[in-house]
Amino acid sequence: MSFTLHGISVSSGIAIGHAHLVSHTSLEVAHYILPKHFVDEEMARFDAALEATRKEFSSLRSNRPAHAVAEFDAFLELHQMIMDDPLLSVAPRDMIAKEHCNAEWALKVQTETLVAQFNEFEDAYLRERQTDVKQVAERLLKRLAGHPGHQPSTARHDVETILVAHDLSPADLIQFKPQQYAAFITDVGGATSHTAIVARSLNTPCVVGLHHARELVREDDMLILDGEQGVLIVNPDKTILAEYKLRQSEWELERKKLKRLRTARANTLDGSLIELHANIEKPEDITEARENGATGIGLFRSEFLFLNRDTLPGEEEQFEAYRAAASGMDGQPVVIRTFDLGADKQIKGMERVANNPALGLRAIRYCLAEPQLFRAQLRALLRATHYGNIKILIPMLSSVSELNQTLQFVAATKQSLSSEGIPYNNEVKIGGMIEIPAAALAIEVFAKKLDFLSIGTNDLIQYTLAIDRTDEEVAHLYDPLHPAVLHLLSHVISISNKFDVPVSVCGEMAGELAYTRLLLGLGLRQFSMFSAQVPSIKQRVLTTSLPEIAALTQKILRADDPLKIRDLLGRLNA
Ligand code: PEP
Ligand code: MG
């Protein structure tokens, strides 16, 4: 049966391929139905995984490291208890018998049911035990992965595959290689979530907030995903398929044409040079940034080096990564943000269930709370400044005392490097991200103390409008054109310009064509965005005259009616 679903478009492009269903984030597993004669074997496989995990627990207990804290035993006992509870050790088995599904799927479904029940607890301690349930399930899944069962023979490598999930975390997504999947689809998520950001940087079409896609789509269904319109067509008929194949090749042709602008300077019609930089997650992303003509890296989200691993990267590994990025850009600026962990980017094993993770211990707050980690990163960053044009960016500043504390950390790190005779650039520029309304309103003090500023519109909008950027239920309220947002942007840009402090926008707004002229009109001269978008924004800059957009931009700033603002923006972009 053919049907269409609508969601939130987060990464453009058209993908045509077969569905591959996966489950929730870290419990990401395939779902398939087994032939009847394999069901007993599958139950035995599940039992074997339980038994092997039991042995693993007992070996962990007997080889308990001497320095392990007393809670270690209690922790192991708790995990063993959770695993042996019939809800996790028997219920999945029954499901395999009844539904003939694979063991991983049965385990995942049962785990999600349990996690949902834990979520209902009022007691915060009990609620947090859902993390233990997930960890036990992951342990079992790893065992099952070591002994794969009978995979469906339809596992195909010859056709494009579209990943369909209820949810995908940024950590899940960053593991995929570019072009490994033709597209990503999720039931939940917002347009400026980090999952969306990674999809864009992988240059892969993605639509989120499709609500029930994972339930409605079946493994191997034929799908068309229109990343521009946020539309998913399931099992299309031949005419629709032909129509989209045509659109797909037109879209690709258009991208190719735009790439020809790679070496052109981004000058406005009246001759102002606009800096178009790229946002990256890993040093390898430099290649794509350069291919698309970015003249610098405006945001290296260094926290992605910390995800999907059991041990954190130490000073040496980070130093190599930062040095690689700097030398890859050949003297062009590389702005590296100190790690913005927390909220939707959690380090393995440290997942906390905070009541309001976006308002909790994340970004610079987390750095300052973990001085050892922060010091190691600052050492790596400062050392790398000796090898290229690196600038350091501090995320999520809200108060001057936070900034002062950070600057003291930098000064102390410089001092210890000097005393060890390790070279670094003493003149390295330190910048701050303006992404909390308090910082935007108090911008003068930040402008006075910092060398440059970068506006993180994703968070600035989230915090100004109190809209969770990862929640599709409120995604329609996430409005970059809200007068409050425009006034904050205008204020930050004009004060920075007045103080002669370079300012850029590195949030997703910088990569949206609809806002390029508006931001230029507000006085912005530096933009940083996902690499693939640089050519389109350059084309818009090349066809813009700053004197011509000045009056309309001011009118937009003075307007307070949303329809009027959109109408004026339409005229600005005409
Ligand atoms: C932002 O908030 O706009 C930003 C660029 O940072 P991130 O998206 O990583 O939170
Ligand atoms: Mg941010």
Side-chain angles (χ1 to χ4, degrees):
M1 188 185 63
S2 174
F3 58 94
T4 302
L5 297 172
H6 296 263
I8 305 165
S9 147
V10 302
S11 182
S12 353
I14 290 170
I16 300 172
H18 290 263
H20 176 51
L21 305 189
V22 295
S23 71
H24 197 271
T25 54
S26 52
L27 300 178
E28 182 186 307
V29 295
H31 177 203
Y32 45 90
I33 301 300
L34 293 158
K36 206 172 167 197
H37 56 278
F38 280 134
V39 169
D40 283 347
E41 215 177 290
E42 192 66 1
M43 287 197 289
R45 193 166 78 88
F46 180 69
D47 290 343
L50 284 174
E51 194 45 42
T53 310
R54 260 180 221 117
K55 282 196 183 129
E56 193 184 349
F57 280 133
S58 95
S59 128
L60 282 170
R61 252 193 305 267
S62 40
N63 298 315
R64 177 187 196 268
H67 60 271
V69 286
E71 285 84 15
F72 187 74
D73 279 345
F75 163 81
L76 283 178
E77 230 160 82
L78 173 69
H79 276 210
Q80 171 125 30
M81 234 169 64
I82 291 175
M83 187 186 81
D84 284 333
D85 192 292
L87 289 171
L88 216 53
S89 58
V90 179
R93 218 176 173 278
D94 295 344
M95 190 171 161
I96 301 170
K98 205 164 131 216
E99 298 185 15
H100 298 187
C101 62
N102 52 318
E104 290 88 347
W105 185 257
L107 179 63
K108 176 245 85 135
V109 169
Q110 188 55 20
T111 306
E112 282 182 358
T113 311
L114 277 175
V115 166
Q117 286 170 6
F118 275 79
N119 251 332
E120 297 292 307
F121 287 129
E122 286 208 351
D123 183 292
Y125 175 81
L126 285 178
R127 229 178 19 248
E128 278 201 31
R129 298 288 64 78
Q130 63 175 277
T131 308
D132 295 290
V133 174
K134 284 187 206 158
Q135 285 170 351
V136 170
E138 274 175 34
R139 207 178 266 278
L140 280 167
L141 281 173
K142 271 190 201 145
R143 283 281 159 198
L144 288 166
H147 301 278
H150 293 274
Q151 308 275 338
S153 55
T154 48
R156 29 207 325 171
H157 303 288
D158 53 330
V159 292
E160 302 269 275
T161 306
I162 296 179
L163 198 74
V164 184
H166 174 68
D167 190 10
L168 287 169
S169 75
D172 292 330
L173 220 54
I174 195 80
Q175 298 188 95
F176 301 130
K177 293 178 192 65
Q179 274 77 55
Q180 183 177 352
Y181 287 102
F184 303 114
I185 294 169
T186 63
D187 291 345
V188 300
T192 61
S193 66
H194 285 99
T195 303
I197 288 168
V198 177
R200 280 190 278 266
S201 87
L202 287 173
N203 217 347
T204 304
C206 176
V207 172
V208 299
L210 280 157
H211 297 288
H212 300 290
R214 211 202 51 201
E215 277 166 43
L216 299 173
V217 173
R218 303 223 187 127
E219 183 74 20
D220 221 27
D221 270 351
M222 184 67 188
L223 304 178
I224 295 176
L225 186 79
D226 183 339
E228 191 79 30
Q229 303 299 324
V231 172
L232 172 71
I233 305 170
V234 184
N235 296 323
D237 65 32
K238 273 189 192 151
T239 334
I240 301 277
L241 197 60
E243 161 76 18
Y244 272 91
K245 277 190 176 156
L246 185 69
R247 282 200 211 175
Q248 189 181 38
S249 50
E250 280 170 359
W251 194 85
E252 277 160 11
L253 193 68
E254 184 60 23
R255 301 297 281 194
K256 262 193 204 141
K257 269 200 231 157
L258 278 173
K259 269 203 172 176
R260 289 193 207 136
L261 292 176
R262 181 176 171 267
T263 52
R265 283 161 67 85
N267 278 324
T268 57
L269 286 172
D270 50 303
S272 289
L273 178 65
I274 309 301
E275 290 297 337
L276 300 182
H277 293 175
N279 294 348
I280 62 167
E281 281 82 42
K282 297 267 178 73
E284 306 85 274
D285 301 340
I286 292 282
T287 315
E288 218 206 326
R290 297 198 69 154
E291 274 171 16
N292 283 289
T295 52
I297 300 302
L299 176 66
F300 177 168
R301 291 180 162 98
S302 72
E303 61 275 10
F304 279 88
L305 298 174
F306 291 65
L307 303 181
N308 296 317
R309 44 192 297 165
D310 295 324
T311 54
L312 298 180
E315 177 186 327
E316 218 44 45
E317 183 183 334
Q318 288 187 60
F319 163 67
E320 290 301 344
Y322 306 146
R323 183 168 70 163
S327 56
M329 284 309 286
D330 246 344
Q332 287 178 317
V334 177
V335 176
I336 305 180
R337 169 170 85 183
T338 60
F339 56 82
D340 181 358
L341 288 165
D344 56 347
K345 288 170 293 189
Q346 299 277 350
I347 306 175
K348 243 187 195 168
M350 291 178 72
E351 292 92 347
R352 258 172 29 100
V353 188
N355 286 340
N356 287 301
L359 302 181
L361 200 59
R362 66 170 280 208
I364 191 61
R365 301 166 184 185
Y366 187 74
C367 295
L368 295 174
E370 294 286 344
Q372 250 179 317
L373 274 183
F374 193 32
R375 229 173 265 126
Q377 176 166 49
L378 287 177
R379 278 180 68 91
L381 280 169
L382 286 167
R383 284 172 55 197
T385 60
H386 184 64
Y387 301 91
N389 187 2
I390 288 179
K391 301 177 192 197
I392 298 174
L393 181 63
I394 314 298
M396 250 189 96
L397 287 165
S398 63
S399 72
V400 179
S401 55
E402 235 168 16
L403 173 58
N404 289 341
Q405 232 182 312
T406 308
L407 294 176
Q408 276 163 14
F409 258 98
V410 175
T413 314
K414 279 184 174 180
Q415 219 169 27
S416 70
L417 288 174
S418 297
S419 64
E420 294 165 49
I422 299 176
Y424 63 90
N425 173 13
N426 196 26
E427 304 300 315
V428 57
K429 303 272 187 262
I430 310 286
M433 286 196 72
I434 303 302
E435 41 190 352
I436 296 185
L441 290 167
I443 191 63
E444 292 204 9
V445 61
F446 291 98
K448 280 180 194 156
K449 285 179 172 263
L450 287 157
D451 299 314
F452 67 98
L453 298 166
S454 191
I455 310 174
T457 46
N458 305 336
D459 278 319
L460 186 62
I461 298 168
Q462 151 163 276
Y463 296 129
T464 304
L465 304 181
I467 306 292
D468 182 343
R469 60 193 266 200
T470 65
D471 186 350
E472 77 286 354
E473 301 288 344
V474 286
H476 61 290
L477 300 171
Y478 189 96
D479 183 11
L481 293 176
H482 190 294
V485 173
L486 296 182
H487 282 286
L488 286 177
L489 280 171
S490 163
H491 181 58
V492 173
I493 296 169
S494 63
I495 297 289
S496 308
N497 288 342
K498 182 172 141 196
F499 282 73
D500 218 7
V501 176
V503 60
S504 75
V505 167
C506 63
E508 297 307 291
M509 243 184 124
E512 285 199 42
L513 274 176
Y515 305 132
T516 311
R517 286 192 179 147
L518 178 60
L519 291 170
L520 286 169
L522 294 178
L524 191 76
R525 300 292 178 264
Q526 271 186 41
F527 295 64
S528 193
M529 66 207 75
F530 62 105
S531 296
Q533 191 65 355
V534 171
S536 304
I537 300 291
K538 190 184 280 184
Q539 193 186 42
R540 182 57 58 96
V541 168
L542 292 171
T543 55
T544 299
S545 152
L546 295 180
E548 272 177 29
I549 59 171
L552 259 180
T553 311
Q554 287 313 309
K555 262 193 184 171
I556 292 176
L557 261 188
R558 283 195 302 270
D560 47 19
D561 172 37
L563 287 178
K564 171 101 180 155
I565 292 177
R566 274 157 180 80
D567 175 50
L568 290 168
L569 186 73
R571 283 167 53 193
L572 190 69
N573 289 330

